[in-house]
Amino acid sequence: MRSSLQRRAPTLLRTISRRSQYEAAIISNAPRPAAAATRPAAVAPQKRWHSSVNADEISHFNALASTWWDPHGSSRALHLMNPLRHDFINTCRSTSLSSSTTVTPEPNSQPTAGQQQQHQAPKLRYLDVGCGGGIFAESAARLPSTHSVTAIDAAPVIIQVARQHASKDPLLAEPTKLRYINTTIENLASTLQSSPEGSKFDVVTLFEVIEHVDQPANFLSHLSNHVKPGGWLVLSTIARTWTSWFTTNFMAEDVLGIVPKGTHDWNKYINDDELRGYFSKFADEQGWDLSSLMVQGVVYVPGLGWKEVQGSEKVGNYFLGVQKKA
Amino acid sequence: MAAWHSPLGPSPHAACSSKSNILPISAVMDLLIRKRAAGYVCRSCTRQVQREIRLRRSYSSSARPDIYDVVCVGGGPAGLSLLTALRANPVTSHLRIALVEAQDLSKIKSWKLPPDRFSNRCSSLTPASVRYLDQIGAWHHLDQTRVQDYHEMQVWDGVTDARIEFDTLSSSPTSGPDTTIAYMTENLNLTSGLLKRLEELGGVSTYDNAKVEQITLGAEHPESNLDLREWPVIHLSGGKQLHARLLVGADGANSPVRSFAGIQARGWDYNRHGVVATLALEEQDFPTHQSFSPSGKIAYQRFLPTGPVALLPLPGNFATLVWSTTPENAALLKSLPPKEFIAMVNAAFRLSPVDLSYLHSPASSGTPKEEEYSWRMEHTHINPLSVPQTIIGVQENSIASFPLKFRHADTYIAERVALVGDAAHTIHPLAGQGLNQGQGDIQSLARTISYAVEHGMDIGTTMALESYLSERYAANHVVMGVCDKLHKLYSFESGPLVGLRSLGLRAVNGWEGVKSFLMRQASGGGSML
Ligand SMILES: C[S@@+](CC[C@H](N)C(=O)[O-])C[C@H]1O[C@@H](n2cnc3c(N)ncnc32)[C@H](O)[C@@H]1O
């Protein structure tokens, strides 16, 4: 229903006219009128109006679960992008490490810079929100520099797939390394209350999720409770532009077929300046260090995969990282 | 017992044969591996077994499985270089690694020969391969007195006499001060050096003298919430079982790992055999005319209608022979007494194809070859500077032959499987590229694994291995295609192709661009080839 060009064009036009209203919605924590209005209320969960969870989205992702780990299946684009997420997180963390601590190299050994950090820095606790089948969560759990990964998703079938897949790797079988929880961001705090891991994390990640949630501002403020002082929130999403509509909805879903049809609702895309706006508005209340905020655009090149491209955050997929004040 | 057969003088030293070497030419691995391969279960049979296992839903009752990140089957140059690279890199040095090899590796590690004796399995290592071996700390573990660099190649057409002269100074403007075309050494010197470096690095569980009895898939281990049904399990003689996150097939042209993965290798046989031997040359009493060749050493290759014959320099006045010819010629050469064999090799670089085919024919069997050779040489005009020095001796037990093949696997990767070296591709040994291609493979695979580890990927998945496949497949295909076409071009004695190819070689000689491309192939200077 959201797949054909003919059906899409009117929506697009409608959305343009609604844009200012939509921007206001993001900043003001109010429910999103545009997204809610264009969706059928088919599988309405209870208390939908209080929750960031969009039932449509969840059933869409549940349906993709079985092919999540097929390297040529529905999530190939995410698999290909995954290494860049680690590169971006490293970039974010290395800027804050170099400014706050001076690393003195040991005289006799000459390990690489990454190795030195791994040896000296305490191991990291990750929270991966909207983890899907666990592409990022698994990879983070495998890193020698990781203490543990907590990964949550609102789709129950997907969490099942994620758990099942993790059991194929003995490295992830250690119960403390990687755990999956089927919960919403709203309920996470109470779920983690008695957890020995605590409910605050060094790195909170949100990859290709925010464009799928209702009330993104609400969602982000819940998230911010789980970022440690000095910790990072790192997310990736797609800018809402003509180009991104063309590349993700038309090219990626319809022409290239690298993303399953119906995955994207262009109405819900968020531009980097809208997110910047959010973080500056709540900088004091939530403790964000605005000087740390970083944005990196990435472009999918058929045949080559994802490439970092300066300035492309304005037209398509991008990463954003922001640190909490220590 | 005499080690050297020489018509001109006494044999210098005692014998010590080396039969267990891995030949420089990939196809030979077939012979060695065929025996080992008998015990394997192919992938489809494994699948069958697997299906039965699934039906019965039998869970593993055994103790905790022995799990490795990398299990490499095959301790030849490619396998050992890969493991050395992984151990030498701080990013991958924490991986749990096992090596499985049928031969006794401690014998290979302590391999030693007197200075005037050489194994007949030699390779021409390109500067790129040597640079990498140096980078992973292995190169200085080779016995440097048994390495011979050369800076010039003489290649000519036996029918038309058209020549390509390769020298790095004139043909490769970008080569810089180092003019080395390649380094000749015995494969055993390389494997022995790699084993010493691996010992220094430590951390590899080595199963040598071990036969791989079968490769199956793992089982479910509900007690530890583990599902290893997609993991290869390598069963060794003696009952040991190794689970592999990534199973590397460095196990030669008849790769059992490749059959386990259900990957086809396609190609054809050339109906040619490669004859190898270690030879002694007459001392050089005239200076080489090539002032740019610091070692004064030259590699010679002549294209005969039956296939190319090459003489590659070793230290001292020694050289190694690689002669591709018909199975009949090969059988004849192996059956000849040393004096006659030497005469035949000298003839191969000097006499006309007509004379040569007479020497190889049954009609000539009445007269000893060396008499035929001397008589015919009186009627042949040769510029001594354009052919190798006269061969005066052949090392005892060094003559061997093997069939030549062209094989290319359909892919190099499958879930939890990667193929390198001869397991992935086997070529006509024309340009001596077999071992260097394997080195290119393992450089790419080691880089791929390192990237995957740094980014938290499961190194056994095809998702992680994809870049290895894309980096190497096309590159190998180009090299293999060029070698194969050269072979075909030079396999005709008359007809339009002969005229064409003399034109071809002359054109190549004058055409710097093409020549430097061929040079880059030979010296591995082309980035990934
Ligand atoms: C495009 S997938 C991305 C998955 C994963 N982050 C990755 O990149 O590999 C979006 C995921 O977000 C989940 N999701 C959508 N809305 C959510 C919400 N409100 N709370 C938690 N998860 C949500 C979906 O179930 C789906 O698994």
Side-chain angles (χ1 to χ4, degrees), chain A:
Chain A
M1 108 203 151
R2 276 178 281 143
S3 54
S4 81
L5 182 55
Q6 295 90 317
R7 303 285 296 264
R8 190 160 289 275
T11 322
L12 187 67
L13 294 176
R14 247 186 291 136
T15 315
I16 303 294
S17 61
R18 257 196 222 114
R19 179 167 171 174
S20 49
Q21 184 193 357
Y22 173 73
E23 263 168 21
I26 286 197
I27 307 297
S28 69
N29 266 3
R32 290 166 79 169
T38 51
R39 298 287 177 117
V43 216
Q46 67 293 49
K47 296 201 285 182
R48 172 178 180 140
W49 46 94
H50 291 310
S51 166
S52 61
V53 178
N54 180 296
D56 253 14
E57 293 278 3
I58 297 312
S59 62
H60 171 78
F61 284 110
N62 267 336
L64 295 182
S66 62
T67 57
W68 203 278
W69 282 97
D70 176 355
H72 298 282
S74 56
S75 303
R76 181 168 171 81
L78 298 178
H79 284 280
L80 290 175
M81 186 193 269
N82 200 54
L84 272 71
R85 298 168 172 172
H86 291 287
D87 291 343
F88 184 72
I89 293 172
N90 284 341
T91 310
C92 289
R93 296 195 65 252
S94 62
T95 54
S96 65
L97 284 180
S98 55
S99 60
S100 58
T101 50
T102 24
V103 187
T104 34
E106 291 165 40
N108 290 331
S109 63
Q110 293 163 311
T112 65
Q115 288 272 312
Q116 275 181 12
Q117 285 168 18
Q118 279 173 21
H119 289 312
Q120 304 200 349
K123 295 192 167 193
L124 300 177
R125 287 172 159 78
Y126 286 84
L127 171 66
D128 186 28
V129 177
C131 62
I135 295 170
F136 176 77
E138 280 197 5
S139 65
R142 278 192 200 95
L143 295 177
S145 56
T146 296
H147 175 270
S148 62
V149 177
T150 301
I152 70 166
D153 200 288
V157 183
I158 280 197
I159 286 290
Q160 269 322 106
V161 165
R163 286 198 185 118
Q164 217 171 53
H165 193 269
S167 76
K168 296 176 186 210
D169 186 349
L171 201 68
L172 307 175
E174 252 178 88
T176 53
K177 261 284 170 195
L178 171 62
R179 61 172 169 172
Y180 288 108
I181 308 174
N182 178 209
T183 184
T184 60
I185 193 70
E186 291 85 349
N187 293 332
L188 184 62
S190 60
T191 313
L192 292 180
Q193 223 162 30
S194 55
S195 158
E197 292 292 304
S199 65
K200 291 194 189 294
F201 299 84
D202 302 297
V203 181
V204 174
T205 53
L206 186 72
F207 292 127
E208 312 304 313
V209 176
I210 197 159
E211 67 273 25
H212 301 289
V213 307
D214 291 339
Q215 310 171 29
N218 229 331
F219 189 86
L220 286 177
S221 58
H222 276 290
L223 253 179
S224 84
N225 294 331
H226 296 284
V227 184
K228 266 187 199 167
W232 282 84
L233 170 64
V234 176
L235 62 82
S236 66
T237 187
I238 321 174
R240 185 181 66 259
T241 61
W242 284 97
T243 328
S244 74
W245 172 82
F246 181 76
T247 54
T248 62
N249 289 74
F250 182 64
M251 287 302 285
E253 293 187 17
D254 294 328
V255 180
L256 295 172
I258 54 169
V259 169
K261 286 190 179 188
T263 295
H264 295 113
D265 182 349
W266 186 82
N267 297 319
K268 289 179 152 188
Y269 288 9
I270 297 174
N271 291 343
D272 71 311
D273 48 354
E274 293 163 349
L275 283 171
R276 285 177 201 273
Y278 171 88
F279 288 110
S280 34
K281 177 164 179 198
F282 295 103
D284 289 340
E285 188 184 318
Q286 296 175 0
W288 301 111
D289 174 3
L290 286 179
S291 69
S292 70
L293 195 143
M294 238 187 278
V295 172
Q296 164 75 62
V298 288
V299 174
Y300 183 81
V301 187
L304 289 177
W306 293 97
K307 299 283 158 207
E308 291 178 5
V309 177
Q310 287 301 327
S312 63
E313 63 271 15
K314 299 292 175 204
V315 293
N317 292 72
Y318 62 92
F319 289 114
L320 181 147
V322 58
Q323 188 180 21
K324 270 208 179 168
K325 290 178 197 133

Side-chain angles (χ1 to χ4, degrees), chain B residues 210-384:
Chain B
K211 206 175 148 228
V212 177
E213 307 227 293
Q214 56 170 346
I215 306 173
T216 59
L217 292 171
E220 267 184 291
H221 300 259
E223 73 289 349
S224 43
N225 190 29
L226 263 188
D227 176 0
L228 300 178
R229 285 176 300 167
E230 289 161 15
W231 283 50
V233 185
I234 298 88
H235 301 251
L236 302 181
S237 43
K240 183 86 191 160
Q241 295 185 12
L242 314 173
H243 281 67
R245 179 185 294 279
L246 173 61
L247 171 60
V248 176
D251 48 354
N254 269 4
S255 169
V257 170
R258 193 182 62 219
S259 343
F260 162 75
I263 299 172
Q264 294 289 318
R266 291 165 212 280
W268 49 84
D269 298 346
Y270 284 101
N271 193 30
R272 287 291 182 276
H273 281 222
V275 177
V276 295
T278 304
L279 304 173
L281 309 180
E282 200 171 46
E283 287 298 340
Q284 235 166 355
D285 49 3
F286 50 85
T288 46
H289 58 300
Q290 283 74 22
S291 53
F292 48 76
S293 182
S295 64
K297 297 286 186 134
I298 301 171
Y300 295 89
Q301 182 162 34
R302 186 186 189 200
F303 284 93
L304 296 171
T306 45
V309 55
L311 194 69
L312 300 149
L314 292 174
N317 61 325
F318 301 101
T320 189
L321 173 78
V322 184
W323 186 350
S324 316
T325 186
T326 62
E328 298 75 33
N329 281 352
L332 173 75
L333 286 168
K334 283 203 294 181
S335 72
L336 292 174
K339 281 184 183 179
E340 300 202 32
F341 178 82
I342 290 164
M344 291 290 260
V345 178
N346 278 323
F349 286 99
R350 290 168 175 80
L351 294 186
S352 72
V354 178
D355 282 344
L356 283 176
S357 70
Y358 177 75
L359 276 178
H360 291 155
S361 73
S364 73
S365 59
T367 334
K369 305 290 180 198
E370 72 263 37
E371 279 174 33
E372 277 286 347
Y373 170 63
S374 341
W375 183 79
R376 280 164 200 276
M377 273 303 282
E378 285 169 23
H379 303 274
T380 310
H381 184 74
I382 298 282
N383 171 6

